[in-house]
Amino acid sequence: MKLSSKDFLGLENVSAEEISYILETAKEMKKTVKSSMKKVNYLQGRSVVTLFYENSTRTRVSFELAAKYMGAQAVNVSVASSSVAKGETLIDTGRTLEAMGTDIVIIRHPQAGAPHLLAKNISASVINAGDGMHEHPTQALLDMMTIMEAFGTLSGLKVVIIGDIYHSRVARSNIIGLTKMGAQVNLFAPSTLLPTGIEKLGAKVFTNIYDAVADCDVVMGLRIQLERQKKCLFPSINEYARFFGINPENIRGAKKNALWMHPGPVNRGVEMTSVIIDADNSVINKQVTNGVAVRMALLYLLTGRE
Ligand code: CP
């Protein structure tokens, strides 16, 4: 099977079959991530550039490691010290990278749609590493991989996503991906952090945390994205932590073997208490490991299309 597009811009236009194929490939790639010899040559002779207009630890480093583990040349463009700071447009930057022989550009950008614009204007593959409040498709892939490792399937599972859903590209990609794969997605958030019409993506909105969490297999927290809030959308951090934070009392109705997840970075004690983050049910570090595996899979499958 070959991926249908040269780019990977979001889960909206990716079929359930393609998602399964990427996750199966990632399972194989994880063997390399976990081995003491992290070197395969699937990407030998290829070059990969990460172009991040927003901060990142997990996504940028895992893409870079994924490329390097597979033998590619991997370069990071530091936007602040690049010609972007002199006024170069996104398209010109992309064409400049392509002129140097770049095969894949991985972009994170504060504007929704920036990766799509780039993809239309260069022939290299473009991967969306997070565009504004739109999508973060590789995060959803690694989340789905982590859930599948625990339960063997996504179909029929109940996943609750709690927190700043309004600003969250992670929530959006997960709702699209998980519902496509047959999971039920519940949402709980302060009303000011819940986009109107989000149910149209197939999720169920709850106004009570206990109902939202009841019998769930997965409890997923989200970071409060203060950098995207133009005004304060909840009374105080303390109140947020009490009523919308994930703590043992708020999620007591979830299944006993439920997974506790967070895309990171976590604001400890705000979105989740340390008791939850550091508990046996927490798979936050597994999510990070699986991030390298799914990104290896994606780089491999995109370069294997020709
Ligand atoms: N989850 C995630 O995207 O983390 P980073 O911002 O560190 O890449």
Side-chain angles (χ1 to χ4, degrees):
M1 180 178 177
K2 285 189 175 175
L3 296 186
S4 58
S5 168
K6 81 169 175 71
D7 309 297
F8 195 77
L9 302 174
L11 291 186
E12 222 160 349
N13 298 316
V14 177
S15 65
E17 195 188 9
E18 279 184 307
I19 292 174
S20 296
Y21 184 52
I22 298 166
L23 297 181
E24 279 301 313
T25 310
K27 213 156 96 178
E28 285 305 306
M29 296 299 178
K30 190 166 178 181
K31 293 176 187 162
T32 300
V33 181
K34 298 296 271 184
S35 80
S36 54
M37 176 52 108
K38 296 177 188 36
K39 203 79 187 166
V40 284
N41 60 7
Y42 305 140
L43 259 63
Q44 201 160 19
R46 301 292 190 151
S47 71
V48 173
V49 172
T50 50
L51 177 63
F52 276 47
Y53 292 76
E54 280 185 353
N55 294 343
S56 169
T57 299
R58 290 150 202 79
T59 313
R60 190 178 70 71
V61 175
S62 61
F63 265 118
E64 205 169 316
L65 288 177
K68 286 180 172 164
Y69 290 167
M70 293 194 291
Q73 301 295 324
V75 175
N76 173 52
V77 176
S78 170
V79 165
S81 59
S82 73
S83 290
V84 170
K86 297 179 194 164
E88 189 170 61
T89 67
L90 174 61
I91 294 172
D92 286 340
T93 299
R95 287 181 178 157
T96 301
L97 297 174
E98 186 169 55
M100 292 183 217
T102 303
D103 296 297
I104 302 186
V105 180
I106 297 148
I107 178 172
R108 171 171 286 189
H109 201 284
Q111 296 295 327
H116 307 67
L117 178 70
L118 186 62
K120 278 200 188 104
N121 284 282
I122 63 175
S123 53
S125 292
V126 175
I127 300 179
N128 181 1
D131 62 326
M133 290 154 44
H134 181 218
E135 278 221 48
H136 191 350
T138 59
Q139 177 69 45
L141 285 178
L142 73 89
D143 291 338
M144 288 191 271
M145 179 177 180
T146 309
I147 298 169
M148 282 202 56
E149 273 181 352
F151 298 110
T153 181
L154 296 166
S155 183
L157 297 181
K158 272 172 85 173
V159 179
V160 61
I161 305 179
I162 298 173
D164 183 355
I165 290 158
Y166 185 87
H167 297 101
S168 180
R169 53 198 179 203
V170 174
R172 207 178 145 74
S173 286
N174 263 305
I175 295 167
I176 295 168
L178 286 164
T179 52
K180 234 171 224 188
M181 299 303 285
Q184 178 185 316
V185 180
N186 295 349
L187 303 175
F188 180 69
S191 56
T192 49
L193 293 176
L194 199 60
T196 46
I198 191 80
E199 305 90 340
K200 287 190 193 128
L201 290 179
K204 283 189 182 177
V205 173
F206 287 80
T207 51
N208 174 311
I209 194 165
Y210 302 110
D211 293 340
V213 163
D215 290 324
C216 277
D217 302 281
V218 176
V219 178
M220 187 183 292
L222 297 172
R223 186 173 68 83
I224 304 176
Q225 303 197 23
L226 291 171
E227 75 276 19
R228 294 193 211 280
Q229 293 187 20
K230 295 188 177 63
K231 55 185 179 189
C232 193
L233 295 171
F234 49 87
S236 72
I237 291 285
N238 279 348
E239 275 182 277
Y240 183 92
R242 185 161 164 220
F243 297 109
F244 300 93
I246 298 173
N247 58 51
E249 151 64 16
N250 281 350
I251 64 164
R252 63 173 196 257
K255 286 194 179 147
K256 281 271 172 298
N257 63 341
L259 302 184
W260 301 338
M261 303 178 73
H262 193 294
V266 189
N267 293 304
R268 273 182 186 260
V270 180
E271 298 125 20
M272 273 186 169
T273 57
S274 286
V275 173
I276 295 283
I277 295 167
D278 302 321
D280 289 344
N281 291 41
S282 165
V283 288
I284 293 171
N285 290 330
K286 272 193 194 152
Q287 289 174 262
V288 176
T289 305
N290 289 340
V292 184
V294 296
R295 286 161 183 141
M296 283 176 76
L298 209 48
L299 294 175
Y300 171 73
L301 294 172
L302 286 174
T303 51
R305 288 183 71 254
E306 302 101 60

